[in-house]
Amino acid sequence: MEPFRLHLFVCTQQKPEGVTSCAGSSSFAVLGALDGELQKRGLINEVQLTTCGCLGLCDEGPVMVVYPAGVWYRRVQPSDVPEILEAHLDGGRPVERLVWNDAPAMKAMAVEHGEKFRAAMAARDKAGVLPDRLDQMLRAYWPSRCLLTALELDLFTAVGDGATAAQVATKIKANARSTAMLLNALVALGLLSKSGDDYKNTADSTRFFVQSSKDNHRNSLLHLANIWHSWSTLTDAVRSGARVPGELPADHLEWTRDFITAMQRNAKERAPLVVKTLATANLRRILDLGGGSGAYAIAFAQANPNIQCEILDVPEVVPLTTEYVRQAGVSAQVKVRTGDMLQSDLGSGYDLVMMNAVCHIFSEEQNQGLFRRAYQALAPRGRLAVVDFILNPEKSGPQQAALFALNMLVNTDAGATYSESEYTDWMKAAGFAEISRINLPGPASLIVGLKKWSLAH
Ligand SMILES: C[S@@+](CC[C@H](N)C(=O)[O-])C[C@H]1O[C@@H](n2cnc3c(N)ncnc32)[C@H](O)[C@@H]1O
Ligand code: FES
């Protein structure tokens, strides 16, 4: 029993230069056309569209298979898509001119192609050709840059329900020829579909990149476009050991808003897990250092009406924080104040001090100082909670934590990512006990330390 009315597999395998493949014969255009047609017919939830690897019939690509009928199609073109869908949705006859059901010939081709492929790979290896995975890593910024530029130009919103390149260019106030090039590249990347001169958003781009969508991520993703510029200085930063002092972005307020929007996206998802892990029953007063959007303080306030939170952040962020708190309807429980956590008076008597996605901004010495000051600010039995990317003991992974260290190198004066033992040592040195690490779903972990009651305090 199939869980879907139809299940369509489209081969999108890419192969090394000189070896035929479905990706090389435009299977992504077929995929885009299928996606567009399913959206148009409102069948996204009834028909499952799945990309797959090589089916062995590469010389006859693009290849697709339709289940439950188990029909194999070859040399499919985007213009064939409506006919194929209609035939299978109506339970009618498959599109005969595209069907391939000669099993012995198919098997012979698959075997022959497999042998040719292995021979080609062996020849490349012998000739010392750069392996594809290295080549792809080196060019990985091409797709990334296309998407970031499309987001900067708000191109997906301009494509809307469908538009030509000229119409999109007019809307985004850009050159028509270069807009067409970008649109075509986005089709090739599977982020748009194209039929004749018309471009359409895919289901994902409609949902995540178009302004009117409730799940639109564009504003938070613009932060990645902003930090692209600092990442371009990585070579100089590695040479000199410090970030390249650049001018402030042309519109620093906009930069800060994109940054806090991006932080809010991550924090909003993680905050309820942290609230659940730390439990709120014994909490009355919380200090959130560098609270950003206030997502954590808001989650604690919403979980327990007896909790009072204070958020400390820099002057340009505080108005944004205040607005998030107001929108969440917890202004009576969450107070926001301006200050520099490295220098300002932190206050005292808190049951919990939080440092979420904050330690990576600072150097080892600054974090040691912050942990000591957090300890002073806590009431006996109070806890310090740190959420961050935690490196393995060799500092070579997980990948995101190791790459994030470089993100801090190019974007901050002294930041980095740190290992569990570094956090534990700093907490111990500050006086904390019962230090534990709790892995959260996703790339970040939580480290908690307790301020023990003793006569000395
Ligand atoms: C990466 S964001 C994390 C925001 C929030 N904690 C979260 O997890 O979403 C770091 C925050 O620390 C704030 N910050 C950086 N340096 C600070 C300082 N010296 N004093 C107070 N806040 C600071 C930034 O403005 C920003 O809001
Ligand atoms: S690459 Fe598609 S069948 Fe081989």
Side-chain angles (χ1 to χ4, degrees):
M1 179 68 197
E2 295 280 335
F4 310 106
R5 198 166 147 197
L6 293 181
H7 196 163
L8 315 176
F9 289 89
V10 180
C11 172
T12 52
Q13 181 78 55
Q14 318 219 16
K15 299 228 165 157
E17 216 167 299
V19 184
T20 50
S21 72
C22 288
S25 37
S26 308
S27 63
F28 278 102
V30 174
L31 187 72
L34 280 164
D35 186 57
E37 197 64 25
L38 292 175
Q39 279 190 60
K40 196 168 91 186
R41 294 171 188 236
L43 290 171
I44 288 290
N45 295 327
E46 284 181 63
V47 177
Q48 184 72 3
L49 181 56
T50 304
T51 57
C52 66
C54 182
L55 295 159
L57 308 180
C58 328
D59 292 336
E60 297 288 323
V63 176
M64 70 177 276
V65 186
V66 181
Y67 287 103
V71 174
W72 290 56
Y73 288 112
R74 59 176 161 171
R75 298 188 187 180
V76 179
Q77 295 303 308
S79 54
D80 299 322
V81 159
E83 198 183 346
I84 294 175
L85 281 181
E86 250 148 53
H88 288 274
L89 286 167
D90 292 351
R93 292 171 62 78
V95 182
E96 289 299 343
R97 66 190 156 76
L98 302 171
V99 171
W100 205 18
N101 54 11
D102 181 349
M106 291 160 83
K107 173 135 192 226
M109 178 176 280
V111 170
E112 188 194 332
H113 187 88
E115 282 164 3
K116 272 203 291 198
F117 178 70
R118 282 186 288 278
M121 295 309 287
R124 277 165 56 97
D125 186 49
K126 199 170 167 199
V129 174
L130 190 70
D132 284 350
R133 71 184 169 80
L134 297 182
D135 192 52
Q136 278 160 14
M137 196 186 290
L138 286 159
R139 292 172 206 276
Y141 68 91
W142 290 11
S144 163
R145 187 59 256 180
C146 284
L147 180 51
L148 293 174
T149 291
L151 291 169
E152 282 182 330
L153 295 169
D154 205 1
L155 177 143
F156 298 101
T157 303
V159 169
D161 294 332
T164 64
Q167 288 167 334
V168 174
T170 305
K171 278 194 200 160
I172 63 174
K173 298 188 176 59
N175 176 276
R177 176 174 168 271
S178 38
T179 301
M181 286 172 164
L182 178 58
L183 287 164
N184 288 335
L186 292 166
V187 174
L189 291 169
L191 296 165
L192 293 175
S193 64
K194 185 178 185 183
S195 166
D197 287 338
D198 272 332
Y199 296 88
K200 281 199 164 49
N201 283 302
T202 60
D204 276 351
S205 48
T206 302
R207 182 170 174 202
F208 297 117
F209 305 146
V210 172
Q211 284 296 350
S212 55
S213 163
K214 80 171 175 47
D215 291 331
N216 173 32
H217 280 240
R218 176 178 174 260
N219 292 351
S220 60
L221 295 172
L222 285 176
H223 175 60
L224 289 175
N226 296 341
I227 61 172
W228 167 278
H229 301 287
S230 39
W231 270 90
S232 298
T233 67
L234 180 62
T235 308
D236 287 338
V238 170
R239 275 203 189 104
S240 72
R243 84 180 166 109
V244 175
E247 290 171 30
L248 279 183
D251 185 343
H252 190 59
L253 283 182
E254 203 163 306
W255 194 103
T256 304
R257 195 170 46 245
D258 293 342
F259 170 53
I260 295 300
T261 311
M263 296 306 105
Q264 200 258 356
R265 280 270 173 198
N266 299 335
K268 206 171 89 172
E269 210 184 320
R270 211 169 283 145
L273 302 167
V274 172
V275 171
K276 200 168 154 210
T277 308
L278 293 176
T280 64
N282 297 324
L283 297 178
R284 289 294 170 271
R285 292 188 63 219
I286 297 177
L287 174 64
D288 189 358
L289 294 175
S293 68
Y296 287 90
I298 291 168
F300 273 99
Q302 287 174 336
N304 183 339
N306 297 320
I307 288 178
Q308 290 290 321
C309 296
E310 279 172 52
I311 297 175
L312 185 80
D313 213 304
V314 297
E316 58 268 37
V317 170
V318 160
L320 303 170
T321 320
T322 307
E323 183 53 21
Y324 276 109
V325 170
R326 191 192 66 74
Q327 278 177 14
V330 290
S331 301
Q333 282 177 267
V334 180
K335 302 291 170 216
V336 189
R337 62 180 161 109
T338 300
D340 175 353
M341 71 176 95
L342 296 171
Q343 292 178 24
S344 304
D345 179 15
L346 300 185
S348 60
Y350 300 102
D351 303 307
L352 177 68
V353 173
M354 290 191 287
M355 293 179 66
N356 302 324
V358 158
C359 294
H360 59 236
I361 305 170
F362 299 116
S363 68
E364 273 187 63
E365 295 72 26
Q366 286 171 322
N367 280 315
Q368 284 167 0
L370 278 165
F371 283 18
R372 283 195 294 273
R373 302 178 75 234
Y375 189 89
Q376 295 305 324
L378 283 165
R381 306 287 312 161
R383 287 173 293 172
L384 170 65
V386 168
V387 172
D388 223 303
F389 301 118
I390 313 285
L391 284 167
N392 62 23
E394 296 79 29
K395 298 202 165 195
S396 56
Q399 194 179 85
Q400 192 157 349
L403 291 176
F404 204 84
L406 295 174
N407 193 34
M408 292 299 97
L409 173 67
V410 296
N411 282 304
T412 65
D413 290 332
T417 42
Y418 301 102
S419 66
E420 183 178 342
S421 62
E422 285 175 301
Y423 280 110
T424 306
D425 290 348
W426 304 340
M427 282 200 184
K428 276 187 195 153
F432 289 99
E434 296 182 24
I435 300 159
S436 60
R437 171 180 179 170
I438 300 120
N439 287 327
L440 301 169
S445 290
L446 172 65
I447 298 192
V448 186
L450 177 76
K451 176 172 178 171
K452 274 205 155 169
W453 174 248
S454 83
L455 286 177
H457 297 96

